[in-house]
Amino acid sequence: MKKHIAIAAGLAVLSTSAFATKARMSALGQGDDRGSLFIQDSRNVFRNAANVNDMTNYVVTEWGQANNAADSDTAPHAEGGFFRSAGQFNYGVYLGSDIDAQNAAKTAAGVLNQDNNIDLFVGGDMGVKWGATFGYASSKDETGTFNKENDAMSLGLGVEKGAIAGYVNLGLKDESKGGAIAADKWEADSGMNVGLSYDWMSYTFFADYDKTGYEQTVSATKTEVENTALTVGVGHTHEVSATSRLFTSLAYTTSESESKGGTVSKSETTALPLTIGFEADANSWLALRGSISQNVVIGDTKNTAGKKSSVADSTNVAAGATLNFGKLKVDGVIGTSGNAGTNAGDSAAGETGTLSLDRLMTRVAVHYWF
């Protein structure tokens, strides 16, 4: 009757890929920071804190670099945590998440990044599933001629009742002081991510709005940046068999980025991406997944002068796998960090079309369920 029942039954059988990580989200063409808008995955707890009630009793580690400015498939960010159930409540502790940290902008400004983050989760089910998360980060550097520091806090709330789910994630504070000179500073706007979804049979209708931005003063030059994004669409999960499923989604997206002050620019992008993904057990110890996505009909960018151009090369193919060792599972993305190809334009860290057995999987994660 409800999509969650069908998915739960499928997940119980499809054990090798039942619960996964950023690697699974990337391979299925989904956002790997807050998880998917319609595919059930443990990563979704960062989108809707009420999901802390759906998947519990596991430890996860995402391999990567400890000091990279921004997480990506080719330069993943090291992070991880654990989630447990305790009677009528569920809780979790997660270390190193950099969602909405905007660290690339901080690095460019020469100030301290948001670092050593800790996120606390708690939730329960009282007829209505609810969840809350609180994030905190603080760092400093007193070794130079003047002090540098960063402090950040965030709050997330989510609920789920039957087929309806809603969430709100707020950036309460993210402030850095001290850069190339003592007067340099960087401060994030009050970030906000809100959304609503409705399940009908095997379909999920969703809407998500995201707003981030910051104000910085570098060498006495003040710059303000604001980014907004809206996504409205529908996703469909088709259980092909007891060991495989097909995912499809069509969503209208519009985003805008505007910079004022030292650098003045504005861009708007509208798109209608179609994503098709699949996931299946190859055998008892291996699950494979893949996806393809591309803008259809709509896909334009408007620059500061108001001139439009089509979004070029919007087709993206991804693949991934899970190695299953009982309760211990290893996830990875296939082919995002291979050696340079022989054709012009091939990248040393891109999808070169080559399956190299000595570099088979990237964005590796390990999770253990108990």
Side-chain angles (χ1 to χ4, degrees):
M1 181 175 63
K2 297 176 182 176
K3 186 188 73 172
H4 294 298
I5 296 177
I7 289 178
L11 293 178
V13 178
L14 195 60
S15 59
T16 58
S17 57
F19 310 106
T21 53
K22 285 186 174 182
R24 180 180 182 234
M25 293 288 91
S26 294
L28 291 175
Q30 306 296 305
D32 56 30
D33 53 355
R34 295 192 185 277
S36 174
L37 287 161
F38 75 102
I39 298 175
Q40 294 299 294
D41 189 275
S42 61
R43 188 69 194 177
N44 296 357
V45 71
F46 288 96
R47 183 178 300 280
N48 187 334
N51 284 309
V52 73
N53 301 291
D54 298 329
M55 301 181 186
T56 59
N57 298 326
Y58 69 94
V59 179
V60 59
T61 57
E62 300 268 5
W63 295 9
Q65 306 174 64
N67 61 348
N68 61 329
D71 181 79
S72 67
D73 281 344
T74 55
H77 186 76
E79 57 188 82
F82 76 93
F83 294 83
R84 286 206 69 171
S85 60
Q88 297 181 341
F89 296 95
N90 300 283
Y91 67 93
V93 177
Y94 200 89
L95 306 176
S97 172
D98 64 349
I99 296 175
D100 287 343
Q102 303 182 84
N103 279 344
K106 294 190 184 76
T107 299
V111 299
L112 282 185
N113 286 346
Q114 187 182 130
D115 196 14
N116 296 322
N117 305 57
I118 180 170
D119 292 279
L120 306 177
F121 295 84
V122 64
D125 188 350
M126 303 175 182
V128 176
K129 292 182 181 179
W130 62 272
T133 177
F134 176 76
Y136 175 77
S138 181
S139 56
K140 62 183 178 181
D141 181 1
E142 300 177 347
T143 61
T145 56
F146 50 86
N147 296 342
K148 297 182 180 181
E149 61 183 52
N150 171 266
D151 292 290
M153 289 188 293
S154 63
L155 176 67
L157 303 170
V159 294
E160 181 181 340
K161 174 65 174 178
I164 301 176
Y167 55 87
V168 55
N169 299 294
L170 302 172
L172 302 179
K173 180 183 181 182
D174 187 0
E175 183 177 357
S176 293
K177 297 179 181 179
I181 60 176
D184 285 354
K185 59 182 180 179
W186 190 102
E187 184 175 3
D189 294 341
S190 299
M192 177 174 59
N193 170 244
V194 297
L196 188 68
S197 67
Y198 177 74
D199 294 336
W200 177 71
M201 299 179 67
S202 57
Y203 293 88
T204 298
F205 299 88
F206 52 79
D208 179 89
Y209 174 78
D210 192 80
K211 176 183 177 294
T212 60
Y214 59 88
E215 179 181 298
Q216 69 178 36
T217 300
V218 178
S219 298
T221 300
K222 184 177 179 180
T223 304
E224 297 179 37
V225 174
E226 183 175 297
N227 306 300
T228 59
L230 174 66
T231 301
V232 180
V234 58
H236 178 246
T237 302
H238 174 58
E239 298 288 338
V240 178
S241 68
T243 58
S244 61
R245 66 177 67 89
L246 181 69
F247 304 104
T248 55
S249 66
L250 184 66
Y252 173 78
T253 66
T254 177
S255 60
E256 181 177 321
S257 180
E258 185 174 9
S259 177
K260 302 177 182 178
T263 301
V264 178
S265 65
K266 183 177 181 179
S267 65
E268 298 178 41
T269 300
T270 56
L272 188 67
L274 171 65
T275 302
I276 302 171
F278 66 89
E279 187 172 55
D281 276 345
N283 49 47
S284 61
W285 56 268
L286 176 65
L288 297 172
R289 60 186 64 93
S291 66
I292 182 170
S293 62
Q294 179 184 292
N295 294 338
V296 292
V297 184
I298 302 173
D300 297 308
T301 296
K302 183 190 297 184
N303 62 18
T304 305
K307 303 295 184 179
K308 287 186 177 182
S309 62
S310 297
V311 177
D313 218 7
S314 66
T315 306
N316 186 62
V317 174
T322 294
L323 301 176
N324 180 50
F325 305 97
K327 295 182 178 181
L328 179 68
K329 306 176 191 300
V330 180
D331 299 335
V333 176
I334 298 174
T336 59
S337 187
N339 295 322
T342 58
N343 297 321
D346 280 351
S347 170
E351 298 163 2
T352 60
T354 300
L355 181 61
S356 177
L357 296 181
D358 61 341
R359 305 183 71 173
L360 184 58
M361 294 201 303
T362 61
R363 193 184 266 290
V364 174
V366 178
H367 43 117
Y368 177 77
W369 297 78
F370 52 89

